[in-house]
Amino acid sequence: MSTHERFFAARLAGTGLFDPLGDRIGKVRDVVLIPQETHTARAVGLVVEVPGKKRIFLPITKVTSISTGQVISDGSLNMRRFEMRKSEILAIGDLLDREVSLVDGTGNAFVEDVALEQDQISKEWEISKLHVRRAKAKNAFSKLVGRNETLTVGVDDVSGLFGTQAEQSAQILLASYSDLKPADLADLIQEMEPKRRADIVRDLSNERLGWVLEELPEDTRVELMQGLESERAADILDAMDPDDAADLLQELPEPLGQDLLTRMEPEEAEDVRRLLAYDEYTAGGLMTTEPLIVAPETPVAHCLALISREEISPALASMVYVCRQPLETPTGKLLGGVHFQHLLRERPERPVGEIIDQDQVTMAPTSHLHDVTREMATYNLVSLPVVDKDSRLLGSVTVDDVLDHVLPEDWRESDEPVATTSTGQIDLTGIAKAISDQEG
């Protein structure tokens, strides 16, 4: 990020947001902050208004330049409507006009603007200065203090910026959760008392809660989903990958599962219904319907941009599938795939259709889990395409989905070490037996 080392939040409001080509894509409305234990707060993103008066969240890591009159992003946007988490505050919406106390004892003041500076080592943007207006003095010394005087002070020169001590503690606690990986947060939630667990779940965004649910044991997932309002539970399923949503629906009592399925967005529900039509332990039941798919004329540079998106899992990002139109599953004919390492070795402008692996292993949707794991192990794959009899791409099975189904059901709750042979290799006997039992 460049170019200024400091910007003021209030002055940034209304500034145009542009992509790298100079096209205007929206305007900045606010800065999203997370309070820190150091009595300041770091910026995690911007609230951006796009056409249609819709407000979305732009991570600060996607911003490449902040200068007078414009903010430039890398061009990638997640159009999901902005939802503020409990641990977050808004620089303009929450901090401006807030009354604070000056620690030098000269009275109170109201915040008129917030300055953020970028740390040269961590590259994070943090509140460094406050532009404040003194409150009218209510004592005999008013002539010494002055009326409505404005001044710029450091964050440590005031108290009460983030509310009471109790409010600050709660915000910092929730902020500490925001940096945890979903699997680590799931471990914490699993150990909490039911009431505390419900409080945390309520404050998580739908997307993040979806990620956490994927990491929890089945009984806890079911308990949490049954405790949510139906509309929010359906929204969470919409935010999840279709294969994970399908797995979760299969675990819920059938009446509840069917009700939530009818409440989901039609397009999301259609993908889930397709997956529910297959047996759980087949390639069709394991696959995701949203692999990375491109046309043969797509440049290598565009493919690399696709796999670099933050929301794409490493397993999905490992392979780009090249198909004829249509490019949504079920696609036109699958022509082949290209591994991301191959993409890195090619010229950015080269059409991806010229470098595809035409001998790629494929699976039928009815292929058993045993066959899928054997093919992955044989060819050292982390992703396998699933095709129908006409060679149309239906989805892909990734190694993380396979592991979820071959490990014991209670693996998340067990502290037992993985069994190994005398040579130090992982003992696959138990996994092979589990696969055999599931197929039986």
Side-chain angles (χ1 to χ4, degrees):
M1 194 174 318
S2 59
T3 50
H4 289 176
E5 296 182 353
R6 177 190 296 178
F7 71 85
F8 284 85
R11 300 178 194 174
L12 197 65
T15 300
L17 175 70
F18 299 84
D19 65 16
L21 298 178
D23 294 327
R24 185 185 176 101
I25 53 181
K27 53 187 174 183
V28 177
R29 285 304 187 191
D30 216 322
V31 182
V32 184
L33 307 168
I34 292 183
Q36 306 293 291
E37 293 182 4
T38 55
H39 305 294
T40 185
R42 64 181 175 90
V44 292
L46 305 176
V47 179
V48 176
E49 184 178 295
V50 294
K53 299 291 185 180
K54 182 177 181 180
R55 296 195 175 191
I56 63 172
F57 176 73
L58 177 68
I60 202 73
T61 54
K62 302 289 186 182
V63 179
T64 59
S65 174
I66 298 177
S67 58
T68 304
Q70 66 177 11
V71 175
I72 300 177
S73 75
D74 64 5
S76 59
L77 291 178
N78 185 335
M79 298 304 292
R80 192 182 303 278
R81 191 174 297 278
F82 170 64
E83 295 180 14
M84 191 167 73
R85 301 172 185 174
K86 191 74 172 180
S87 61
E88 297 171 341
I89 58 176
L90 298 176
I92 297 173
D94 293 322
L95 298 186
L96 296 199
D97 295 323
R98 175 165 292 188
E99 187 172 11
V100 295
S101 298
L102 297 169
V103 296
D104 62 5
T106 58
N108 293 345
F110 295 94
V111 177
E112 293 200 329
D113 210 342
V114 176
L116 292 99
E117 291 187 21
Q118 189 177 36
D119 185 276
Q120 295 304 307
I121 299 176
S122 67
K123 300 302 180 183
E124 291 186 340
W125 288 84
E126 296 184 342
I127 295 179
S128 60
K129 300 288 183 180
L130 301 172
H131 188 64
V132 301
R133 171 176 45 83
R134 287 188 185 273
K136 292 182 179 180
K138 298 180 180 180
N139 54 51
F141 299 101
S142 61
K143 61 181 180 180
L144 298 177
V145 175
R147 289 186 166 191
N148 296 326
E149 175 192 1
T150 59
L151 62 158
T152 300
V153 297
V155 179
D156 292 333
D157 295 329
V158 304
S159 63
L161 179 62
F162 304 118
T164 64
Q165 185 62 42
E167 290 171 335
Q168 291 183 56
S169 298
Q171 289 171 338
I172 291 170
L173 176 63
L174 286 167
S176 69
Y177 293 151
S178 70
D179 291 330
L180 289 177
K181 293 181 179 179
D184 296 329
L185 181 54
D187 287 341
L188 284 177
I189 289 176
Q190 179 68 13
E191 297 172 1
M192 291 177 179
E193 294 294 325
K195 183 179 184 305
R196 181 66 175 275
R197 182 187 298 166
D199 290 339
I200 295 298
V201 165
R202 184 186 63 246
D203 293 332
L204 291 174
S205 68
N206 292 340
E207 186 175 41
R208 186 161 173 77
L209 180 53
W211 295 338
V212 171
L213 287 172
E214 295 169 18
E215 305 295 338
L216 288 168
E218 179 180 333
D219 57 343
T220 307
R221 284 198 296 264
V222 172
E223 171 198 321
L224 293 178
M225 288 294 286
Q226 289 178 320
L228 296 172
E229 295 181 357
S230 297
E231 289 301 326
R232 192 189 178 199
D235 289 341
I236 291 167
L237 291 169
D238 283 332
M240 297 174 72
D241 289 334
D243 55 327
D244 295 315
D247 290 343
L248 182 52
L249 283 171
Q250 287 180 322
E251 297 167 358
L252 296 174
E254 187 173 352
L256 176 58
Q258 289 299 322
D259 176 59
L260 295 181
L261 192 57
T262 60
R263 293 174 184 269
M264 292 177 64
E265 293 293 329
E267 290 185 2
E268 302 291 344
E270 181 181 354
D271 286 340
V272 172
R273 286 192 175 95
R274 283 170 48 204
L275 294 172
L276 290 173
Y278 297 107
D279 183 88
E280 183 179 0
Y281 297 104
T282 63
L286 292 168
M287 70 182 181
T288 176
T289 57
E290 298 178 346
L292 299 180
I293 305 168
V294 297
E297 63 272 15
T298 305
V300 166
H302 181 76
C303 297
L304 290 172
L306 287 178
I307 68 175
S308 68
R309 292 184 311 191
E310 186 178 1
E311 64 270 21
I312 302 298
S313 70
L316 280 180
S318 68
M319 186 71 68
V320 173
Y321 295 105
V322 184
C323 302
R324 298 294 184 192
Q325 297 284 352
L327 298 181
E328 293 184 356
T329 56
T331 67
K333 182 180 179 180
L334 172 66
L335 302 179
V338 183
H339 193 271
F340 82 94
Q341 287 181 319
H342 193 168
L343 292 170
L344 292 171
R345 295 192 294 265
E346 295 294 337
R347 301 190 314 274
E349 72 277 6
R350 188 173 185 183
V352 72
E354 296 180 1
I355 59 173
I356 56 176
D357 177 8
Q358 296 178 331
D359 297 325
Q360 190 171 45
V361 177
T362 62
M363 304 299 297
T366 54
S367 298
H368 286 289
L369 175 61
H370 181 277
D371 299 317
V372 174
T373 53
R374 181 181 295 276
E375 293 298 321
M376 282 189 163
T378 300
Y379 297 102
N380 296 319
L381 301 173
V382 295
S383 176
L384 263 177
V386 181
V387 299
D388 63 12
K389 59 182 178 60
D390 297 317
S391 297
R392 299 185 305 166
L393 183 65
L394 302 177
S396 68
V397 179
T398 55
V399 66
D400 52 330
D401 294 320
V402 171
L403 286 174
D404 276 344
H405 285 74
V406 300
L407 289 171
E409 290 186 3
D410 62 346
W411 71 268
R412 289 184 174 89
E413 303 169 89
S414 175
D415 292 326
E416 293 295 323
V418 177
T420 58
T421 65
S422 59
T423 61
Q425 295 178 320
I426 295 176
D427 185 358
L428 299 178
T429 305
I431 291 179
K433 184 179 184 302
I435 295 173
S436 177
D437 292 344
Q438 290 160 356
E439 290 181 353

